[in-house]
Amino acid sequence: MATYNSELDDKLDKELLGLYDEMHIYFDAIENDSVVIENSISYDATELATKLAKDSLRVAEILHIYDTEIAK
């Protein structure tokens, strides 16, 4: 049985909250046909959809880590 890793849990919680905030901004921009500017780079709806897909994959990875390393 794996031991609970609170440091990893806290790190992943923080990352999930950041991803949630980021994804919320992207969804709103796509819905309103807007662009998002990050580090002086403008992203349109197509690029934001790609970023959402990548963020979604990262969320899935984090949830898998929770299942395999934290929740045991």
Side-chain angles (χ1 to χ4, degrees):
M1 183 169 161
T3 58
Y4 176 74
N5 186 336
S6 65
E7 186 176 315
L8 179 60
D9 186 28
D10 292 344
K11 177 184 173 198
L12 294 176
D13 280 348
K14 185 182 278 187
E15 186 175 354
L16 276 175
L17 289 173
L19 287 167
Y20 172 79
D21 290 341
E22 190 173 277
M23 293 171 79
H24 187 353
I25 291 168
Y26 296 164
F27 273 118
D28 285 348
I30 291 170
E31 187 175 69
N32 295 314
D33 199 26
S34 302
V35 297
V36 171
I37 299 173
E38 292 178 347
N39 300 322
S40 302
I41 300 171
S42 178
Y43 297 97
D44 66 12
T46 302
E47 294 163 321
L48 292 174
T50 301
K51 288 172 126 339
L52 276 170
K54 289 178 182 177
D55 285 353
S56 296
L57 287 173
R58 182 59 187 149
V59 168
E61 289 172 345
I62 291 171
L63 295 177
H64 177 73
I65 292 169
Y66 272 117
D67 286 346
T68 59
E69 295 183 31
I70 296 174
K72 288 187 174 189

